[in-house]
Amino acid sequence: MSDHALRLLREQPHLAELAAFPFNFDLTRADHVEAVRLASGGPLEAVAGDDTGGTYFVCGDGSVLYADSEGSAGIIGNSVDEALAVLVGLPGWHDHLGLAPTDGEEKIRAAVAETEEEIREYHGIDDERTELRAGLGLPERSPVELVGLLHAALLRTEPDFLLLNAEEGGAHDLLDRHPRPPLWEAVLARGRTDLTLLREGSAWDEVAGDRARRALALRAAQFDRREGDLPLLRHLLRHEAEASMTDELRLAAVLVGLHGHAEDLPLLYEVRETDFDTWCGLGGMPEPGADPDELRRWARDLDDSLFGTDPADEPLFTWTGLAHEQGLVELARAALIRRLDDIGFRAYCDARESKAMERRHACQLSPLVHEFEQMGDTFQALRAQRLHVPLQTRAWDRVSALLRLARLEREEGRLGAAIRTLSSLRDTLAEPDGGAGDSESDNSLGHWQRTNLGAYIVEEHYAVARTAATDTALADEVRAVTVAAGELLARLSGTARANVERHLAGTTDIRTDTRTDIHADTGANAGAGVSAEPTPPRPSAG
């Protein structure tokens, strides 16, 4: 974690000049080509740069993150001292990003020697390296050791040091191309440990009583099925029923049912009857007294369509949801951002070729919004929702998507954008078919005034107006939004209007007031529970 060498560089100009040339660590270039930030929100300080436009950042734990000018980034040292040891010891370190300790000493030494000979054709590095090492107190390390340090540092880049474009939110590529373990492997690690404990007959109540541990143990059992697991599966099933309908409850029922024991039918039936959601979610289950083969067929059909035995076949959202539940928030965030970037890139390419986005990519956007909101990342949720809105073809879906977009923009403090989004929403209410005429009429909004959607629309108008009330630059827009809110409120049915008025209690006259200084209680209540689209459950394995 030491920054001893950095302090010396700042105090001694001669050493700083040596670091800048020939080792390309220039304190005067600490100005990156674009605004960036860590996805985790952690601190990031630019301390130096190089002549290619790359920048060296120090992170909160002292790690050094290098970002090049082409959109790639990676950790290159656990401290400034370690990073400088790598830069000075491997002046051609960019050429060695693909090297790993497994390549062997001979290959590593040959690659480093070849690169250094090419550098010596243009300028010296040997005397300069000796002098800088002595001045900074850096130990002399072999090329093999330095490649090992660089390789280990690079592998730490994700998830904690994922670098984003601060304005657009897209992630930088990894600086190296070394393979990483799949997301599911890191998520399942705790579940496999707990499954071993359960099989040994210990920690049954501890694991079964903890929602996150129970879910992971069930997932571990999904991919490591053993005949002797039936007793522990029954135990986990009983406890998972307390959480009502979940993907893991269905999985537990399937794993029990696959054993085909008639004595399990009463237990499965009891679990199915827990509540209405479980009754629906476990539909088609054989009732007590049925033939065991019927139970086995029911379980096998669900297993084939929803689960299976390969963790790589599970949807991304299975693993990000489980990662979030066990506190691996940055691991989940990094995977979701990467997926969103991929969908955004596909959308860009499709737009250039005048093609529609594939449904399998488009249908992931709403769950992405939900997952980001669950972890409190409104910024990324907003990115996903912006891609989601143009894909809605039905008027009801467009209005719902615009309402959700306006809420996210408000929560992110982008009030001007939220006001413009609400204007587009009102345009859709006025012309659901977009002016296409009767041949393409869209009646999906025919009764919006009588629904919760209508109430949410009015509440969001007031919430935006209240939040933007102190922004003098938006005074006219706020007044227009408030007027529009009153007009929309008047169009609601009696029950819907009464519900909104209860939420907006405290405003002088919410039906006619066009002032911008809306009572604070109005905004607080208006924002509560606003959701344009039903909150989607974490997708099942299918």
Side-chain angles (χ1 to χ4, degrees):
M1 301 300 179
S2 172
D3 62 353
H4 172 72
L6 181 59
R7 290 198 303 272
L8 289 176
L9 291 179
R10 288 170 170 171
E11 293 168 358
Q12 301 186 35
H14 175 61
L15 293 179
E17 290 174 4
L18 269 178
F21 184 82
F23 302 104
N24 225 353
F25 186 86
D26 192 342
L27 299 183
T28 68
R29 293 180 181 267
D31 185 16
H32 199 52
V33 293
E34 62 183 7
V36 293
R37 66 178 181 86
L38 293 178
S40 65
L44 196 65
E45 178 192 3
V47 295
D50 62 25
D51 58 10
T52 68
T55 306
Y56 299 93
F57 298 90
V58 176
C59 305
D61 69 342
S63 297
V64 175
L65 180 74
Y66 175 79
D68 66 23
S69 60
E70 303 300 319
S72 298
I75 295 292
I76 62 168
N78 294 333
S79 66
V80 177
D81 288 5
E82 184 177 295
L84 281 167
V86 170
L87 300 185
V88 175
L90 300 173
W93 68 274
H94 288 276
D95 295 336
H96 307 319
L97 292 172
L99 289 176
T102 53
D103 291 320
E105 181 175 350
E106 183 178 352
K107 179 178 179 179
I108 291 173
R109 288 187 179 277
V112 172
E114 180 180 358
T115 299
E116 291 194 355
E117 280 304 311
E118 293 176 356
I119 295 174
R120 290 187 185 98
E121 293 179 5
Y122 300 96
H123 55 76
I125 55 173
D126 299 303
D127 293 341
E128 293 83 355
R129 176 158 48 199
T130 299
E131 182 178 359
L132 189 56
R133 274 176 172 165
L136 297 179
L138 300 176
E140 184 175 348
R141 291 186 167 102
S142 72
V144 176
E145 185 180 358
L146 291 171
V147 166
L149 290 174
L150 178 60
H151 177 74
L154 289 167
L155 293 181
R156 293 179 51 238
T157 303
E158 285 191 20
D160 294 324
F161 304 101
L162 180 63
L163 192 66
L164 306 181
N165 177 291
E167 295 298 322
E168 299 175 1
H172 283 53
D173 293 331
L174 289 171
L175 199 59
D176 67 282
R177 294 295 180 265
H178 295 298
R180 267 71 170 177
L183 173 64
W184 60 261
E185 190 170 300
V187 175
L188 267 187
R190 178 67 180 274
R192 286 169 166 167
T193 299
D194 280 343
L195 181 58
T196 299
L197 292 176
L198 291 170
R199 285 170 173 166
E200 293 172 350
S202 60
W204 274 40
D205 291 336
E206 291 88 340
V207 174
D210 184 304
R211 160 63 193 151
R213 294 180 67 179
R214 184 173 67 242
L216 286 169
L218 282 166
R219 288 294 176 177
Q222 174 186 350
F223 306 114
D224 181 13
R225 305 180 182 192
R226 299 186 187 179
E227 186 66 30
D229 284 347
L230 184 55
L232 68 88
L233 291 172
R234 291 167 177 159
H235 187 65
L236 294 175
L237 173 63
R238 290 188 181 95
H239 281 268
E240 188 63 23
E242 298 172 4
S244 189
M245 192 60 232
T246 64
D247 291 341
E248 284 70 39
L249 179 66
R250 186 182 286 112
L251 171 61
V254 165
L255 292 176
V256 169
L258 285 171
H259 285 79
H261 287 229
E263 59 265 33
D264 287 321
L265 284 167
L267 169 62
L268 291 167
Y269 183 77
E270 178 186 343
V271 168
R272 191 189 73 174
E273 297 298 306
T274 300
D275 56 35
F276 180 73
D277 290 336
T278 56
W279 186 84
C280 294
L282 296 175
M285 176 189 294
E287 297 192 3
D291 186 275
D293 287 339
E294 186 180 349
L295 171 61
R296 193 178 288 110
R297 280 195 300 273
W298 170 82
R300 190 181 299 118
D301 288 344
L302 277 180
D303 190 30
D304 291 342
S305 62
L306 298 179
F307 300 111
T309 58
D310 187 348
D313 291 338
E314 286 288 325
L316 170 70
F317 299 111
T318 295
W319 302 121
T320 56
L322 291 169
H324 190 198
E325 283 183 18
Q326 62 176 309
L328 302 175
V329 177
E330 296 313 317
L331 189 66
R333 191 197 313 273
L336 292 169
I337 290 174
R338 291 293 188 194
R339 178 59 57 87
L340 177 56
D341 286 351
D342 179 62
I343 294 174
F345 178 72
R346 291 175 186 275
Y348 169 76
C349 293
D350 290 342
R352 291 191 64 182
E353 299 176 14
S354 300
K355 296 192 308 184
M357 185 188 297
E358 291 184 36
R359 178 173 175 77
R360 65 190 179 96
H361 299 301
C363 68
Q364 295 181 44
L365 287 169
S366 186
L368 275 170
V369 176
H370 174 68
E371 291 291 317
F372 281 126
E373 286 199 272
Q374 286 292 101
M375 64 177 59
D377 196 336
T378 309
F379 180 81
Q380 295 294 342
L382 181 54
R383 282 185 65 209
Q385 188 64 11
R386 283 175 176 158
L387 285 173
H388 182 61
V389 168
L391 303 177
Q392 307 314 302
T393 56
R394 292 174 67 247
W396 179 282
D397 296 334
R398 286 199 304 275
V399 167
S400 297
L402 286 166
L403 181 58
R404 193 180 203 179
L405 178 62
R407 175 175 60 79
L408 291 169
E409 289 169 335
R410 170 174 59 81
E411 292 174 355
E412 269 293 292
R414 306 186 183 212
L415 302 177
I419 290 171
R420 291 189 293 273
T421 297
L422 290 178
S423 177
S424 297
L425 186 156
R426 295 193 301 275
D427 289 343
T428 303
L429 289 177
E431 289 191 81
D433 60 3
D438 293 339
S439 61
E440 299 183 30
S441 60
D442 185 338
N443 298 320
S444 59
L445 286 172
H447 304 287
W448 68 267
Q449 303 93 333
R450 304 178 187 176
T451 66
N452 284 337
L453 177 62
Y456 295 156
I457 290 170
V458 174
E459 290 175 8
E460 188 58 35
H461 274 72
Y462 279 117
V464 169
R466 182 260 173 185
T467 307
T470 58
D471 190 337
T472 56
L474 294 175
D476 291 341
E477 289 86 348
V478 170
R479 191 172 296 109
V481 167
T482 310
V483 170
E487 293 172 348
L488 291 169
L489 179 64
R491 296 175 63 185
L492 296 183
S493 68
T495 301
R497 183 166 61 251
N499 289 336
V500 172
E501 288 176 344
R502 278 197 297 272
H503 286 164
L504 301 178
T507 303
T508 303
D509 183 358
I510 59 177
R511 288 164 297 184
T512 59
D513 190 6
T514 60
R515 299 178 305 166
T516 61
D517 57 340
I518 297 175
H519 194 280
D521 286 345
T522 300
N525 290 326
V530 175
S531 178
E533 299 172 301
T535 300
R538 180 153 52 82
S540 67

